[in-house]
């Protein structure tokens, strides 16, 4: 355990007391005013005299006249656990075709306790790309309208214009309830995106455990060695098959569970039988601001603290489907004018959802709106920059003319 | 004054409390015995003042010991008087899951002493009237911060007067000049505003004012925790007991310091029993306006909005903001509501059958989850449709439709079971159930398991009125 402040005080008590005494100028005893001469007489070390005085009277209330300096040592903690590092994407020399790889995790402290331990790897943003036209909020659509039917162009826009670190290709057309496209068609789409951008990729399924597995198998094999993040592996999937597929072809997996720490542990435990721990990123579900965000936040924060305290089954980088912020009707709906245009309300909704989870410990954000992406990136860069603020400047907020 | 390390919140057991109670099992508190009372006290569900014998002279010492033992890590401080007074701080824990956060972060909106009377009145009025109904609660703004941009005591006095003529919201008086603050305090007698702020230069004068007018006092020591702690120590020695800490809100450069400082202060108080840092923290997202330069106002507002969000999550107990725009404030007021809900109680409604209007055997039957927000939204949209209907509320453990489907909290089995349990089969002749658009994937399975025909409804419940008129009206 780190230095506790009271210990410091204990050691420094004597000089401090001296300082205190030296600084007292005005002395008040209850409501009676008296000069220092009187006091000296009172404080004569005469046992009988003192015993007749009530304790209140011998403890003068005195006001300091200069600042009493006390020490301060930051309350540092040590944690027995550490988050594993998971590498996404493989470069040519690593057996893939990506321009760079990205490392997630590695934390030794709770999120952004930078006074304790530096963040080993900055949180990363992956932008959503869909393989078919889907209904999008107006505020998002206005930025991607041109590319909505071309996943490769969409991915390029996300990386080159919006600054995405990664791209998530959501293969929703494979859904048996949608177009039910074949694994071969999915491979074609992945190929287009692989050609269009050289960032590490996340391959997203449609949510149907059987179909997703079939597609993951085909994609994993075709793009062997690319170190894709397969999103996602769930309890109702054939976990063994999915994990072995990823391992065999050099990919990593997203372990997705529904807002329950025990289910997260359980799925991770199952995965450990087939795949190394540093091949697993976990997602405990993101709910939108106003629609259960507090559950998502608290489960992530608890999971991260438990991991640092030594819970081996939760020591994984965390991912968040931050795009879920758009499920909040306040994010996309036209409201009365006093609530402002949805073009602002929507992206700020996604931004605040992301920042809330940033402090819970999320390492990987899957996002949608370019303004939210830019803000999160700016904030993370600023937090990790090591720049200090100018104290005299912020005092001016009182007099600033807006 | 030696600093005592308080017993951490987690370490306090009902036995600790029980040992100091009268132990007579007199039942005057309404509980069967003192142990039951002790358990409620530890859970902060009742106050020790609810034990009448404990308030007698005989138990004075025990009462004091208990008060000390139960004192929160972060002191609770009251600003303002009367019905609209706000309490800040009072936190027992650092992390929400450890217990529950008390006293949702009040948001103060600023006015200045150089604004015209009309502008002041208008901003105060907007602040008072700002409200949003969310899960059956009305979210409101809470305070007015009056800044002296003129540094003129007379102007400040006039501005304070104007504000209190127009509102009973609690005030924050902002100036580093004690003369200005005093003139403001004289204009707001007995209203217990928060003084902003004591610094290393003016602390003695500010302390005198805080004592004279019996007001809480903010301590401002931007990015200097040693100074902040020293000033706190000094002011406590001076006799000012109600302090609020401002380690500085840096909007851009220095943001890392702000996050570090807020976190350090709260950790020192909650995890290390540091009484000098055991006071509420004030965040000032309004500092975003310092950087405005040539940026359009929306860019500054945007920054203020996300700064507020970060600070609500990272331990701010009070915020001062400038923007009155709905899109800036709404997400933050909802975030605050979310973060301050009791994590031990899911925000859920009772599952089961609900009726709207006077449904008959031909009326539509709809289905949704028991997440409170989903339920209230769907309910208000059904009411808006004016169609007499049934609604089956399925127990998804308080999770919304899309998350519940993804997380298998809403399954075809659960829906089939809920249909059966609701006994809706005795109430309607048809066998058609309308399910949320976001649960479409469950259609086939629901049909198989329940024998009911599934009609997939709109993805958002705002589409319910139109949907009912088109698909059911015929």
């Amino acid at each position: 355990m780190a230095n506790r402040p009271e210990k410091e005080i204990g050691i420094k008590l004597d000089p401090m007391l001296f300082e205190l005494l030296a600084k007292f100028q005005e002395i008040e005893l209850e409501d009676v005013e008296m000069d220092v001469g009187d006091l000296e007489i009172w404080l004569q070390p005469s046992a009988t005299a003192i015993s007749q005085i009530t304790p209140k009277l011998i403890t003068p209330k005195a006001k300091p006249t200069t600042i009493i300096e006390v020490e301060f040592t930051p309350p540092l903690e040590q944690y027995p656990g550490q988050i594993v590092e998971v590498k996404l994407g493989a470069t040519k020399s690593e057996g893939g075709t990506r321009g760079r790889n990205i490392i997630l995790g590695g934390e030794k402290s709770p999120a952004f306790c930078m006074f304790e331990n530096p963040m080993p790897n900055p949180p990363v943003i992956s932008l959503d790309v869909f393989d078919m036209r889907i209904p999008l909020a107006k505020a998002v659509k206005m930025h991607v309208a041109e590319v909505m039917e071309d996943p490769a162009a969409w991915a390029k826009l996300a990386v080159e214009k919006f600054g995405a670190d990664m791209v998530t290709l959501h293969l929703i057309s494979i859904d048996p309830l949608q177009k039910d496209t074949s694994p071969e068609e999915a491979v074609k789409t992945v190929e287009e995106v692989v050609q269009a951008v050289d960032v590490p990729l996340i391959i997203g399924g449609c949510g149907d455990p059987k179909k997703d597995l079939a597609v993951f198998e085909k994609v994993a094999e075709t793009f062997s060695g690319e170190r894709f993040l397969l999103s996602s592996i769930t309890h109702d999937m054939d976990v063994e098959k999915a994990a072995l597929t990823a391992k065999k072809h050099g990919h990593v997996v997203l372990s997705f569970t529904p807002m329950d720490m025990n289910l997260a542990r359980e799925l991770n435990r199952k995965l450990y039988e087939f795949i190394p721990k540093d091949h697993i990123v976990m997602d405990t579900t993101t709910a939108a601001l106003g629609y259960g965000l507090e559950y998502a936040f608290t489960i992530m924060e608890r999971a991260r603290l438990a991991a640092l305290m030594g819970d081996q089954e939760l020591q994984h980088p965390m991912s968040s489907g931050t795009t879920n912020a758009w499920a909040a009707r306040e994010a996309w709906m036209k409201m009365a004018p006093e609530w402002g245009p949805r073009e602002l309300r929507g992206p700020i909704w996604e931004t605040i959802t992301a920042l809330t989870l940033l402090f819970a410990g999320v390492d990987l954000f899957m996002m949608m709106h370019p303004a939210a992406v830019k803000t999160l990136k700016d904030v993370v860069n600023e937090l990790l920059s090591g720049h200090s603020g100018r104290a005299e400047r912020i005092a001016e907020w009182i007099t600033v003319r807006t | 004054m030696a600093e005592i390390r308080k017993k951490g919140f987690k370490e306090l057991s009902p036995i600790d409390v029980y040992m100091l109670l009268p132990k007579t099992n007199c039942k005057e508190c309404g509980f069967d015995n003192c142990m039951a009372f002790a358990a409620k006290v530890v859970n902060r569900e009742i106050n020790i003042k609810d034990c009448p014998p404990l308030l007698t002279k005989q138990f004075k010492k025990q009462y004091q010991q208990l008060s000390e033992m139960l004192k929160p890590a972060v002191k609770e401080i009251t600003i303002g008087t009367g019905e609209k007074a706000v309490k800040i701080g009072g936190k027992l824990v650092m992390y929400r899951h450890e217990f529950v956060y008390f006293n949702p972060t009040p948001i103060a909106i600023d006015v200045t002493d150089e604004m015209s009377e009309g502008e002041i009145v208008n901003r105060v009025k907007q602040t008072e009237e700002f409200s949003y109904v969310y899960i059956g609660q009305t979210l409101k703004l809470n305070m007015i911060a009056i800044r002296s941009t003129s540094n003129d005591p007379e102007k400040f006095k006039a501005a304070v007067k104007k504000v209190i003529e127009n509102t009973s919201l609690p005030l924050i008086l902002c100036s580093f000049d004690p003369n200005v603050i005093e003139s403001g305090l004289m204009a707001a007698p007995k209203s217990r505003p928060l003084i902003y702020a004591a610094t290393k230069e003016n602390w003695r004068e500010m302390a005198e004012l805080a004592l004279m007018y019996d007001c809480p006092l903010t301590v401002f020591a931007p990015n200097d925790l040693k100074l902040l702690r020293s000033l706190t120590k000094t002011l406590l020695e001076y006799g000012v007991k109600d302090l609020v800490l401002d380690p500085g809100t840096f909007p851009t450069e220095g943001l890392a310091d702000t996050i570090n400082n807020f976190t350090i202060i709260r950790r020192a108080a909650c995890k290390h029993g540091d009484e000098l840092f055991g006071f509420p923290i004030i965040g000032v997202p309004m500092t975003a306006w310092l950087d405005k330069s040539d940026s359009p106002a929306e860019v500054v507002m945007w920054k203020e909005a996300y700064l507020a969000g970060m600070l609500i999550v990272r331990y701010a107990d009070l915020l001062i903001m400038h923007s009155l725009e709905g899109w800036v404030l709404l997400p933050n007021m909802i975030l605050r509501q979310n973060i301050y809900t009791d994590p031990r109680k899911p925000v859920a409604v009772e599952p089961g059958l609900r009726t709207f209007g006077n449904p008959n055997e031909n009326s539509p039957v709809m289905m949704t989850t028991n997440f409170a927000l989903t339920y209230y939204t769907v309910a208000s949209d059904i009411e808006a449709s004016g169609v007499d209907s049934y609604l089956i509320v399925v127990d998804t453990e308080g999770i919304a439709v899309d998350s519940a489907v993804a997380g298998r909290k809403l399954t075809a089995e659960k829906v089939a079971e809920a249909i059966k349990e609701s006994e809706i089969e005795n109430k309607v002749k048809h066998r058609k159930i309308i399910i949320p658009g976001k649960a479409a994937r469950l259609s086939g399975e629901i049909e198989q398991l329940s024998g009911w025909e599934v009609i997939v409804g709109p993805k958002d419940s705002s589409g319910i009125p139109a949907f009912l008129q088109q698909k059911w009206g015929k």
Side-chain angles (χ1 to χ4, degrees), chain B residues 75-79 192 194-195 210 214-219 235-236 239-244 279-280:
Chain B
K75 190 175 183 189
E76 182 175 84
I77 284 167
T78 305
I79 306 170
R192 203 176 153 76
L194 172 65
I195 301 174
D214 187 25
C215 294
L217 175 61
T218 311
V219 191
L235 290 164
L236 284 173
V240 187
K241 300 289 178 226
D242 288 345
L243 300 171
V244 177
F279 290 96

Side-chain angles (χ1 to χ4, degrees), chain A residues 116 236 290 298 393 401, chain B residues 96 114 267 290 373 408:
Chain A
E116 189 165 70
D236 51 9
T298 284
R393 181 80 211 289
R401 289 179 170 82
Chain B
R96 180 176 177 266
E114 289 179 308
R267 189 194 275 181
L290 286 168
L373 187 58
R408 320 296 188 245

Side-chain angles (χ1 to χ4, degrees), chain B residues 367-435:
Chain B
M367 182 274 282
T368 191
T369 74
N370 78 325
F371 175 39
L373 187 58
T374 308
Y375 171 74
Y376 283 116
T377 315
V378 170
S380 83
D381 289 325
I382 296 177
E383 277 160 14
S385 78
V387 178
D388 297 327
S389 332
Y390 290 105
L391 177 67
I392 297 173
V393 181
V394 181
D395 185 0
T396 58
E397 298 166 40
I399 307 286
V401 178
D402 37 2
S403 308
V405 171
R408 320 296 188 245
K409 301 267 185 203
L410 181 62
T411 59
E413 287 82 2
K414 278 202 181 174
V415 176
E417 203 176 298
I419 292 175
K420 211 171 162 198
E421 277 178 12
S422 69
E423 295 178 354
I424 187 72
E425 304 207 329
N426 304 327
K427 294 189 168 81
V428 294
K429 282 200 299 191
H430 65 82
R431 293 290 178 265
K432 290 177 187 166
I433 185 164
I434 303 168
I435 69 167

Side-chain angles (χ1 to χ4, degrees), chain A residues 63 68 70-71 75 77 79 111 116 236 258 290 295 298 302 329-330 375 388 393 397-398 400-401, chain B residues 96-97 114 132 134 147 208 229-230 234 257 267 272 290 292 302 314 338 347 373 381 407-408 460:
Chain A
K63 291 175 175 177
I68 305 163
V70 290
E71 283 307 313
E77 307 272 2
Y79 307 87
E116 189 165 70
D236 51 9
Y295 296 100
T298 284
R302 280 186 75 176
R329 44 165 55 190
E330 288 86 352
T375 305
S388 260
R393 181 80 211 289
W397 79 266
I398 289 187
V400 73
R401 289 179 170 82
Chain B
R96 180 176 177 266
H97 65 257
E114 289 179 308
Y132 188 73
Y134 168 81
R147 302 187 288 130
E208 280 299 329
R229 207 161 173 276
S230 300
T234 311
D257 293 327
R267 189 194 275 181
H272 296 250
L290 286 168
K292 69 176 167 148
W302 177 272
R314 273 287 159 113
N338 287 176
V347 194
L373 187 58
D381 289 325
R408 320 296 188 245
D460 187 85

